[in-house]
Amino acid sequence: MVTTAPYGAWTSPVDARTVAAHDGRPAFVGVIGDEVWWTAPRPAEGGRRALIRRRADGTEESVLPAPWNVRSRVHEYGGQPWAGTVTDRGPLVVFSDFADQRLYAYAPDHDAAPRPLT
C-alpha cells in the first residue's frame, strides 16, 4: 500500500550519511597507451581523489597512495587534474595535488615518488 505524505515529509532510505559515503563517480577519464586512467572519489579518505589505472590485462590499481589527492581548483578551462603520455620507460603522468596545487611528474613503473615541477 502506498502512503501519501505532505511534500518534504516523506521518509527516505537515503540519508546524508549514505550520500556522503558514495561521493561522486569516476571522472577525468583518459588513455595512456593501451591503459585507461581516471580519478575516483575516496570519501572515506577525507574526500581525496585517487588516480586509477586499468592495465591492458584488466587489472586496476591506485597509482598514488594517500595523501596524494589528484584534484585541481581550476574550473574555467575544464580543470583536468592530470595528463599522461607513454615514454620509453612506460607511462608518465603530470598531476595537480590538491593540497598545494603544484604540478608533479610521476612515472609509476619507475619513480619512487612524484617529483615537483612547479
Side-chain angles (χ1 to χ4, degrees):
M1 178 173 201
V2 175
T3 302
T4 303
Y7 178 80
W10 44 267
T11 59
S12 172
V14 180
D15 60 7
R17 183 177 308 230
T18 303
V19 172
H22 297 86
D23 176 30
R25 61 186 181 276
F28 302 109
V29 178
V31 175
I32 301 176
D34 57 359
E35 299 178 350
V36 179
W37 293 54
W38 66 91
T39 62
R42 298 290 187 254
E45 297 177 20
R48 176 175 91 90
R49 293 209 60 101
L51 184 60
I52 308 297
R53 77 194 274 196
R54 182 182 175 100
R55 295 178 184 265
D57 66 4
T59 59
E60 292 180 10
E61 66 182 46
S62 181
V63 177
L64 297 159
W68 294 107
N69 188 353
V70 181
R71 232 173 112 191
S72 170
R73 289 189 173 109
V74 176
H75 297 287
E76 291 83 8
Y77 299 101
Q80 180 158 336
W82 73 273
T85 191
V86 175
T87 70
D88 57 346
R89 298 179 62 208
L92 172 68
V93 293
V94 173
F95 67 94
S96 173
D97 184 47
F98 191 68
D100 59 11
Q101 291 298 288
R102 292 178 72 183
L103 295 177
Y104 292 84
Y106 184 53
D109 296 343
H110 297 281
D111 291 347
R115 60 187 186 280
L117 298 175
T118 60

